[in-house]
Amino acid sequence: MEILGDRIKYLREKMNYTQKDLAKKAGLTIVQLSRYETNDRKPDPDSLKRIADVLDTSADYLLGRIDNPKRYEKNMSFYGGPEQYTQDEIEEMEAALERYRAMKRRAAEQAEKDSKN
């Protein structure tokens, strides 16, 4: 079994992309992508990076070096994990998240305003 092509195809189908969709998003031709998926060819490093970016995974996953397709491992285990947080720490994290969301909302509104001008 060839891992690279199988993993590209697996993630492409999981994201409901056609070969045409993925090829366009990654700046490839359908023929190139088809050859990668059938393991007839191997992508050059730049193409591999673009494919990984579009599929929201890592090149290491596509190459079979790791088995987790998620780009980054997400967890809250720092400082003992959520079960160790005090109530005031939770309140501070919630407040920080609200500030961050408000900032993002303002930035999106400003970007929309700027695009209309």
Side-chain angles (χ1 to χ4, degrees):
M1 175 173 102
E2 294 284 337
I3 292 175
L4 178 63
D6 294 337
R7 287 188 173 187
I8 291 172
K9 183 177 180 180
Y10 166 75
L11 289 177
R12 175 181 61 76
E13 290 176 343
K14 186 175 177 183
M15 295 181 80
N16 294 317
Y17 288 159
T18 63
Q19 282 187 333
K20 182 178 180 180
D21 296 333
L22 178 55
K24 183 177 180 180
K25 291 175 184 289
L28 305 168
T29 67
I30 296 172
V31 172
Q32 284 175 301
L33 179 59
S34 176
R35 288 181 177 157
Y36 300 157
E37 286 188 359
T38 58
N39 295 297
D40 291 336
R41 303 271 178 166
K42 302 291 183 222
D44 61 85
D46 188 52
S47 297
L48 180 64
K49 179 188 175 304
R50 291 194 315 265
I51 292 168
D53 287 346
V54 172
L55 295 176
D56 195 28
T57 192
S58 67
D60 281 341
Y61 172 75
L62 294 178
L63 293 170
R65 293 171 46 112
I66 61 173
D67 290 326
N68 185 351
K70 294 180 183 173
R71 187 182 298 250
Y72 305 104
E73 190 63 37
K74 298 175 185 169
N75 66 49
M76 296 290 287
S77 63
F78 52 89
Y79 299 112
E83 59 279 349
Q84 299 297 317
Y85 298 156
T86 63
Q87 186 58 40
D88 62 317
E89 289 172 330
I90 291 170
E91 290 169 6
E92 184 59 37
M93 286 186 276
E94 288 172 347
L97 181 58
E98 286 302 316
R99 287 190 304 271
Y100 174 77
R101 287 179 177 169
M103 180 210 48
K104 293 276 287 190
R105 200 170 26 256
R106 286 190 305 271
E109 289 167 359
Q110 185 63 46
E112 187 176 327
K113 235 189 246 184
D114 292 345
S115 70
K116 289 180 182 179
N117 293 332

